[in-house]
Amino acid sequence: MTSIISTAAAAVGLSLRRPTHLSELLAVALLLASSSLLAADAATTEESPEGTSRVRHDYEDALRKSLLYFEAQRSGRLPHGQRVAWRDHSGLTDGLEQGVDLVGGYYDAGDHVKFGLPMAFTVTMLSWSLIEYGGDVADAGELRHALESVKWGTDYFIKAHTRPDELWAEVGDGDTDHYCWQRPEDMTTSRQAYKVDRDRPGSDVAGETAAAMAAASMVFREHNPHYAHLLLHHAQQLFEFADKYRGKYDSSIAEVKSYYASVSGYHDELLWAALWLHRATGKAEYLDYVVRNADEFGGTGWAITEFSWDVKYAGVQILAARLLLSGEHAPQHRETLERYRSKAEHYVCACLGKNAAADANVERSPGGMLYIREWNNMQYVTSAAFLLSVYSAYLSSSDHQHHAVSCPAEKAHPGELFAAARAQVEYVLGSNPRGTSYLVGYGPKYPARVHHRAASIVPYKHSKEMSK
């Protein structure tokens, strides 16, 4: 599994209305492909830097294919409008042994476990994509499907948040799950459910789920105000729980440690959740929290070159910098927000290769892809592309006197950030030495199957017909 997930209306392969927003549709489409749910069953090694081709990419098609994958990963009772026909109902007794309804949510890539932390990050990033670029997604005709993808996750989080200070954070067991290659429709592995509460805290998973629900409340504010209010209520309760009863969720749920250990701790999720709650509510108390805890929680201390389901600091710093650039802050917050911005721009400069020290920059593959880690590197590529895209937009729309990033090597203007984001997305879509798209179904050459176990097995419906 990688870690979540994405827009523009552009004239690339199609005649669209607003050609100036070229990387917006790509940002959402490939942020979707960056989520912890989205992975192709293919390696990302290169043959050689020669032969890299530049093509005109169809970002609407990429967005469409990205959203389809969420339907492949659904757990629970599938709706009549399900477009991925080789899937069927599954996990219909999840939570039954514990006396709670935990049916729904998303499976974890090729697994049948539902891991709460990366799932929540996926929904947060899906929501952020729609907050920034929802109009362009609507222009592409995909808003309904995007909203459905968010709601499939948030409906599950509402079920999983059974009390103000109780959150079910995992369903299934990774060890037994990995021993058995089955379709989710007829799985026989453990569906044990695990929770965090006052006695077994999980500030990271509760904080991320609070962030997801706060961000999603903004997405649904216009389309479903009652639902948006419900999400915000859950988000505020979860943040209070995460902050009051502090602890790492992998200390409370030992079964998750081998799969999604919270290496960065929970301070980044607390800051992340507070920033999303501030954006969703406008309440000063949440920004006060972010400023007050900036040093102690590492928000203005960590200079990061990774943004992922585990490490949120770069996202925290970008969001805080947005408040500075847009003027959405009180005078007493300015100095701390400047320090957040400094760290945000360290991340940006690292992606551009413009920090002074070589080890402070993100490595690149021979073909130009950002390279963070050996395992599931594409998640870091696409999440970096998204952050570069949104920060470019924040700089461009700012009345701030500095419209450029002051990297140690040289300044970087918004257009350069935009171009860097576009280059990474185009690499994923096939402009790479192998000429291979890593988004299943997109382009002339792509991996044959999505990273989902049932994608390599006879579809459940066909199997039922053959057994008659």
Side-chain angles (χ1 to χ4, degrees), residues 62-84:
L63 174 63
R64 194 173 300 115
K65 298 293 171 52
S66 295
L67 287 167
L68 268 176
Y69 189 75
F70 285 89
E71 296 189 22
Q73 292 305 104
R74 284 172 171 169
S75 178
R77 185 168 293 280
L78 303 187
H80 292 297
Q82 172 80 10
R83 295 177 294 167
V84 179

PDB file of all heavy atoms in Angstrom, residues 62-84:
ATOM      1  N   ALA A  62      -7.235  10.736 -16.240  1.00  0.00           N
ATOM      2  CA  ALA A  62      -6.475  10.306 -15.062  1.00  0.00           C
ATOM      3  C   ALA A  62      -7.301  10.463 -13.794  1.00  0.00           C
ATOM      4  O   ALA A  62      -7.303   9.594 -12.917  1.00  0.00           O
ATOM      5  CB  ALA A  62      -5.183  11.120 -14.954  1.00  0.00           C
ATOM      6  N   LEU A  63      -8.028  11.555 -13.694  1.00  0.00           N
ATOM      7  CA  LEU A  63      -8.902  11.766 -12.540  1.00  0.00           C
ATOM      8  C   LEU A  63      -9.974  10.687 -12.483  1.00  0.00           C
ATOM      9  O   LEU A  63     -10.240  10.097 -11.431  1.00  0.00           O
ATOM     10  CB  LEU A  63      -9.546  13.146 -12.642  1.00  0.00           C
ATOM     11  CG  LEU A  63     -10.615  13.479 -11.590  1.00  0.00           C
ATOM     12  CD1 LEU A  63     -10.011  13.500 -10.196  1.00  0.00           C
ATOM     13  CD2 LEU A  63     -11.279  14.813 -11.897  1.00  0.00           C
ATOM     14  N   ARG A  64     -10.560  10.418 -13.623  1.00  0.00           N
ATOM     15  CA  ARG A  64     -11.633   9.410 -13.690  1.00  0.00           C
ATOM     16  C   ARG A  64     -11.126   8.035 -13.248  1.00  0.00           C
ATOM     17  O   ARG A  64     -11.774   7.336 -12.458  1.00  0.00           O
ATOM     18  CB  ARG A  64     -12.158   9.353 -15.138  1.00  0.00           C
ATOM     19  CG  ARG A  64     -13.474   8.629 -15.317  1.00  0.00           C
ATOM     20  CD  ARG A  64     -13.965   8.799 -16.762  1.00  0.00           C
ATOM     21  NE  ARG A  64     -14.151  10.222 -17.088  1.00  0.00           N
ATOM     22  CZ  ARG A  64     -13.431  10.884 -18.007  1.00  0.00           C
ATOM     23  NH1 ARG A  64     -12.499  10.256 -18.699  1.00  0.00           N
ATOM     24  NH2 ARG A  64     -13.666  12.158 -18.243  1.00  0.00           N
ATOM     25  N   LYS A  65      -9.954   7.647 -13.733  1.00  0.00           N
ATOM     26  CA  LYS A  65      -9.407   6.336 -13.387  1.00  0.00           C
ATOM     27  C   LYS A  65      -9.007   6.272 -11.912  1.00  0.00           C
ATOM     28  O   LYS A  65      -9.137   5.230 -11.255  1.00  0.00           O
ATOM     29  CB  LYS A  65      -8.184   6.048 -14.275  1.00  0.00           C
ATOM     30  CG  LYS A  65      -8.497   5.993 -15.782  1.00  0.00           C
ATOM     31  CD  LYS A  65      -9.360   4.811 -16.142  1.00  0.00           C
ATOM     32  CE  LYS A  65      -9.867   4.855 -17.587  1.00  0.00           C
ATOM     33  NZ  LYS A  65      -8.835   5.046 -18.603  1.00  0.00           N
ATOM     34  N   SER A  66      -8.490   7.378 -11.393  1.00  0.00           N
ATOM     35  CA  SER A  66      -8.121   7.403  -9.971  1.00  0.00           C
ATOM     36  C   SER A  66      -9.325   7.173  -9.084  1.00  0.00           C
ATOM     37  O   SER A  66      -9.285   6.405  -8.121  1.00  0.00           O
ATOM     38  CB  SER A  66      -7.475   8.748  -9.617  1.00  0.00           C
ATOM     39  OG  SER A  66      -6.258   8.930 -10.274  1.00  0.00           O
ATOM     40  N   LEU A  67     -10.429   7.839  -9.406  1.00  0.00           N
ATOM     41  CA  LEU A  67     -11.625   7.701  -8.581  1.00  0.00           C
ATOM     42  C   LEU A  67     -12.215   6.301  -8.661  1.00  0.00           C
ATOM     43  O   LEU A  67     -12.789   5.796  -7.693  1.00  0.00           O
ATOM     44  CB  LEU A  67     -12.665   8.743  -9.007  1.00  0.00           C
ATOM     45  CG  LEU A  67     -12.324  10.178  -8.588  1.00  0.00           C
ATOM     46  CD1 LEU A  67     -13.224  11.166  -9.309  1.00  0.00           C
ATOM     47  CD2 LEU A  67     -12.445  10.346  -7.081  1.00  0.00           C
ATOM     48  N   LEU A  68     -12.059   5.658  -9.814  1.00  0.00           N
ATOM     49  CA  LEU A  68     -12.551   4.282  -9.942  1.00  0.00           C
ATOM     50  C   LEU A  68     -11.902   3.357  -8.924  1.00  0.00           C
ATOM     51  O   LEU A  68     -12.529   2.424  -8.423  1.00  0.00           O
ATOM     52  CB  LEU A  68     -12.270   3.754 -11.353  1.00  0.00           C
ATOM     53  CG  LEU A  68     -13.355   3.924 -12.413  1.00  0.00           C
ATOM     54  CD1 LEU A  68     -12.851   3.427 -13.752  1.00  0.00           C
ATOM     55  CD2 LEU A  68     -14.624   3.179 -12.005  1.00  0.00           C
ATOM     56  N   TYR A  69     -10.634   3.622  -8.624  1.00  0.00           N
ATOM     57  CA  TYR A  69      -9.941   2.709  -7.721  1.00  0.00           C
ATOM     58  C   TYR A  69     -10.546   2.700  -6.325  1.00  0.00           C
ATOM     59  O   TYR A  69     -10.535   1.684  -5.628  1.00  0.00           O
ATOM     60  CB  TYR A  69      -8.448   3.035  -7.651  1.00  0.00           C
ATOM     61  CG  TYR A  69      -7.703   1.966  -6.897  1.00  0.00           C
ATOM     62  CD1 TYR A  69      -7.439   0.734  -7.493  1.00  0.00           C
ATOM     63  CD2 TYR A  69      -7.333   2.146  -5.575  1.00  0.00           C
ATOM     64  CE1 TYR A  69      -6.809  -0.268  -6.785  1.00  0.00           C
ATOM     65  CE2 TYR A  69      -6.697   1.148  -4.871  1.00  0.00           C
ATOM     66  CZ  TYR A  69      -6.434  -0.059  -5.482  1.00  0.00           C
ATOM     67  OH  TYR A  69      -5.821  -1.050  -4.770  1.00  0.00           O
ATOM     68  N   PHE A  70     -11.087   3.828  -5.900  1.00  0.00           N
ATOM     69  CA  PHE A  70     -11.721   3.842  -4.581  1.00  0.00           C
ATOM     70  C   PHE A  70     -12.882   2.863  -4.523  1.00  0.00           C
ATOM     71  O   PHE A  70     -13.156   2.266  -3.480  1.00  0.00           O
ATOM     72  CB  PHE A  70     -12.173   5.260  -4.227  1.00  0.00           C
ATOM     73  CG  PHE A  70     -11.036   6.149  -3.833  1.00  0.00           C
ATOM     74  CD1 PHE A  70     -10.349   6.873  -4.789  1.00  0.00           C
ATOM     75  CD2 PHE A  70     -10.622   6.235  -2.521  1.00  0.00           C
ATOM     76  CE1 PHE A  70      -9.281   7.672  -4.445  1.00  0.00           C
ATOM     77  CE2 PHE A  70      -9.550   7.025  -2.163  1.00  0.00           C
ATOM     78  CZ  PHE A  70      -8.876   7.748  -3.128  1.00  0.00           C
ATOM     79  N   GLU A  71     -13.573   2.713  -5.639  1.00  0.00           N
ATOM     80  CA  GLU A  71     -14.672   1.754  -5.673  1.00  0.00           C
ATOM     81  C   GLU A  71     -14.153   0.322  -5.590  1.00  0.00           C
ATOM     82  O   GLU A  71     -14.813  -0.555  -5.020  1.00  0.00           O
ATOM     83  CB  GLU A  71     -15.507   1.963  -6.937  1.00  0.00           C
ATOM     84  CG  GLU A  71     -16.176   3.325  -6.969  1.00  0.00           C
ATOM     85  CD  GLU A  71     -17.183   3.473  -8.097  1.00  0.00           C
ATOM     86  OE1 GLU A  71     -17.692   2.437  -8.597  1.00  0.00           O
ATOM     87  OE2 GLU A  71     -17.472   4.621  -8.481  1.00  0.00           O
ATOM     88  N   ALA A  72     -12.962   0.082  -6.131  1.00  0.00           N
ATOM     89  CA  ALA A  72     -12.369  -1.248  -6.019  1.00  0.00           C
ATOM     90  C   ALA A  72     -12.013  -1.587  -4.577  1.00  0.00           C
ATOM     91  O   ALA A  72     -12.007  -2.750  -4.186  1.00  0.00           O
ATOM     92  CB  ALA A  72     -11.122  -1.348  -6.899  1.00  0.00           C
ATOM     93  N   GLN A  73     -11.737  -0.562  -3.769  1.00  0.00           N
ATOM     94  CA  GLN A  73     -11.278  -0.789  -2.403  1.00  0.00           C
ATOM     95  C   GLN A  73     -12.395  -0.760  -1.360  1.00  0.00           C
ATOM     96  O   GLN A  73     -12.135  -0.889  -0.166  1.00  0.00           O
ATOM     97  CB  GLN A  73     -10.241   0.280  -2.033  1.00  0.00           C
ATOM     98  CG  GLN A  73      -8.928   0.166  -2.802  1.00  0.00           C
ATOM     99  CD  GLN A  73      -8.309  -1.205  -2.658  1.00  0.00           C
ATOM    100  OE1 GLN A  73      -8.373  -2.015  -3.568  1.00  0.00           O
ATOM    101  NE2 GLN A  73      -7.705  -1.492  -1.517  1.00  0.00           N
ATOM    102  N   ARG A  74     -13.612  -0.596  -1.791  1.00  0.00           N
ATOM    103  CA  ARG A  74     -14.716  -0.489  -0.834  1.00  0.00           C
ATOM    104  C   ARG A  74     -14.923  -1.789  -0.048  1.00  0.00           C
ATOM    105  O   ARG A  74     -14.871  -2.888  -0.591  1.00  0.00           O
ATOM    106  CB  ARG A  74     -16.017  -0.153  -1.559  1.00  0.00           C
ATOM    107  CG  ARG A  74     -16.123   1.297  -1.992  1.00  0.00           C
ATOM    108  CD  ARG A  74     -17.346   1.516  -2.878  1.00  0.00           C
ATOM    109  NE  ARG A  74     -17.575   2.929  -3.130  1.00  0.00           N
ATOM    110  CZ  ARG A  74     -18.436   3.395  -4.023  1.00  0.00           C
ATOM    111  NH1 ARG A  74     -19.154   2.537  -4.751  1.00  0.00           N
ATOM    112  NH2 ARG A  74     -18.593   4.691  -4.187  1.00  0.00           N
ATOM    113  N   SER A  75     -15.208  -1.605   1.219  1.00  0.00           N
ATOM    114  CA  SER A  75     -15.654  -2.699   2.078  1.00  0.00           C
ATOM    115  C   SER A  75     -17.102  -2.419   2.447  1.00  0.00           C
ATOM    116  O   SER A  75     -17.532  -1.265   2.494  1.00  0.00           O
ATOM    117  CB  SER A  75     -14.791  -2.763   3.341  1.00  0.00           C
ATOM    118  OG  SER A  75     -15.229  -3.794   4.209  1.00  0.00           O
ATOM    119  N   GLY A  76     -17.856  -3.495   2.697  1.00  0.00           N
ATOM    120  CA  GLY A  76     -19.248  -3.308   3.105  1.00  0.00           C
ATOM    121  C   GLY A  76     -20.223  -3.688   2.012  1.00  0.00           C
ATOM    122  O   GLY A  76     -19.904  -4.405   1.069  1.00  0.00           O
ATOM    123  N   ARG A  77     -21.453  -3.159   2.150  1.00  0.00           N
ATOM    124  CA  ARG A  77     -22.517  -3.444   1.179  1.00  0.00           C
ATOM    125  C   ARG A  77     -22.422  -2.419   0.053  1.00  0.00           C
ATOM    126  O   ARG A  77     -22.602  -1.228   0.271  1.00  0.00           O
ATOM    127  CB  ARG A  77     -23.889  -3.383   1.857  1.00  0.00           C
ATOM    128  CG  ARG A  77     -25.039  -3.799   0.943  1.00  0.00           C
ATOM    129  CD  ARG A  77     -26.320  -4.002   1.741  1.00  0.00           C
ATOM    130  NE  ARG A  77     -26.215  -5.140   2.642  1.00  0.00           N
ATOM    131  CZ  ARG A  77     -26.367  -6.412   2.282  1.00  0.00           C
ATOM    132  NH1 ARG A  77     -26.623  -6.721   1.021  1.00  0.00           N
ATOM    133  NH2 ARG A  77     -26.265  -7.368   3.169  1.00  0.00           N
ATOM    134  N   LEU A  78     -22.127  -2.884  -1.145  1.00  0.00           N
ATOM    135  CA  LEU A  78     -21.876  -1.983  -2.257  1.00  0.00           C
ATOM    136  C   LEU A  78     -23.179  -1.416  -2.825  1.00  0.00           C
ATOM    137  O   LEU A  78     -24.196  -2.108  -2.873  1.00  0.00           O
ATOM    138  CB  LEU A  78     -21.094  -2.707  -3.353  1.00  0.00           C
ATOM    139  CG  LEU A  78     -19.757  -3.324  -2.920  1.00  0.00           C
ATOM    140  CD1 LEU A  78     -19.007  -3.868  -4.129  1.00  0.00           C
ATOM    141  CD2 LEU A  78     -18.892  -2.307  -2.177  1.00  0.00           C
ATOM    142  N   PRO A  79     -23.152  -0.172  -3.280  1.00  0.00           N
ATOM    143  CA  PRO A  79     -24.369   0.459  -3.807  1.00  0.00           C
ATOM    144  C   PRO A  79     -24.690  -0.025  -5.217  1.00  0.00           C
ATOM    145  O   PRO A  79     -23.854  -0.629  -5.900  1.00  0.00           O
ATOM    146  CB  PRO A  79     -23.987   1.945  -3.817  1.00  0.00           C
ATOM    147  CG  PRO A  79     -22.509   1.945  -4.024  1.00  0.00           C
ATOM    148  CD  PRO A  79     -21.996   0.740  -3.268  1.00  0.00           C
ATOM    149  N   HIS A  80     -25.889   0.293  -5.667  1.00  0.00           N
ATOM    150  CA  HIS A  80     -26.316  -0.132  -7.010  1.00  0.00           C
ATOM    151  C   HIS A  80     -25.463   0.529  -8.091  1.00  0.00           C
ATOM    152  O   HIS A  80     -25.302  -0.026  -9.171  1.00  0.00           O
ATOM    153  CB  HIS A  80     -27.791   0.211  -7.225  1.00  0.00           C
ATOM    154  CG  HIS A  80     -28.726  -0.599  -6.369  1.00  0.00           C
ATOM    155  ND1 HIS A  80     -28.830  -1.972  -6.474  1.00  0.00           N
ATOM    156  CD2 HIS A  80     -29.594  -0.224  -5.392  1.00  0.00           C
ATOM    157  CE1 HIS A  80     -29.720  -2.419  -5.614  1.00  0.00           C
ATOM    158  NE2 HIS A  80     -30.200  -1.386  -4.939  1.00  0.00           N
ATOM    159  N   GLY A  81     -24.931   1.699  -7.801  1.00  0.00           N
ATOM    160  CA  GLY A  81     -24.138   2.412  -8.790  1.00  0.00           C
ATOM    161  C   GLY A  81     -22.677   2.011  -8.835  1.00  0.00           C
ATOM    162  O   GLY A  81     -21.876   2.681  -9.500  1.00  0.00           O
ATOM    163  N   GLN A  82     -22.320   0.917  -8.165  1.00  0.00           N
ATOM    164  CA  GLN A  82     -20.931   0.440  -8.161  1.00  0.00           C
ATOM    165  C   GLN A  82     -20.450   0.176  -9.579  1.00  0.00           C
ATOM    166  O   GLN A  82     -21.051  -0.610 -10.327  1.00  0.00           O
ATOM    167  CB  GLN A  82     -20.842  -0.843  -7.328  1.00  0.00           C
ATOM    168  CG  GLN A  82     -19.509  -1.559  -7.390  1.00  0.00           C
ATOM    169  CD  GLN A  82     -18.449  -0.949  -6.486  1.00  0.00           C
ATOM    170  OE1 GLN A  82     -18.735  -0.094  -5.666  1.00  0.00           O
ATOM    171  NE2 GLN A  82     -17.211  -1.394  -6.633  1.00  0.00           N
ATOM    172  N   ARG A  83     -19.354   0.833  -9.983  1.00  0.00           N
ATOM    173  CA  ARG A  83     -18.863   0.711 -11.360  1.00  0.00           C
ATOM    174  C   ARG A  83     -17.804  -0.369 -11.528  1.00  0.00           C
ATOM    175  O   ARG A  83     -17.587  -0.846 -12.638  1.00  0.00           O
ATOM    176  CB  ARG A  83     -18.303   2.059 -11.827  1.00  0.00           C
ATOM    177  CG  ARG A  83     -19.363   3.161 -11.929  1.00  0.00           C
ATOM    178  CD  ARG A  83     -18.722   4.486 -12.316  1.00  0.00           C
ATOM    179  NE  ARG A  83     -17.832   4.967 -11.265  1.00  0.00           N
ATOM    180  CZ  ARG A  83     -16.947   5.957 -11.430  1.00  0.00           C
ATOM    181  NH1 ARG A  83     -16.834   6.535 -12.617  1.00  0.00           N
ATOM    182  NH2 ARG A  83     -16.183   6.354 -10.422  1.00  0.00           N
ATOM    183  N   VAL A  84     -17.113  -0.738 -10.455  1.00  0.00           N
ATOM    184  CA  VAL A  84     -16.105  -1.799 -10.539  1.00  0.00           C
ATOM    185  C   VAL A  84     -16.828  -3.125 -10.334  1.00  0.00           C
ATOM    186  O   VAL A  84     -17.111  -3.535  -9.210  1.00  0.00           O
ATOM    187  CB  VAL A  84     -14.986  -1.589  -9.491  1.00  0.00           C
ATOM    188  CG1 VAL A  84     -13.968  -2.706  -9.564  1.00  0.00           C
ATOM    189  CG2 VAL A  84     -14.311  -0.242  -9.713  1.00  0.00           C
TER     190      VAL A  84
END
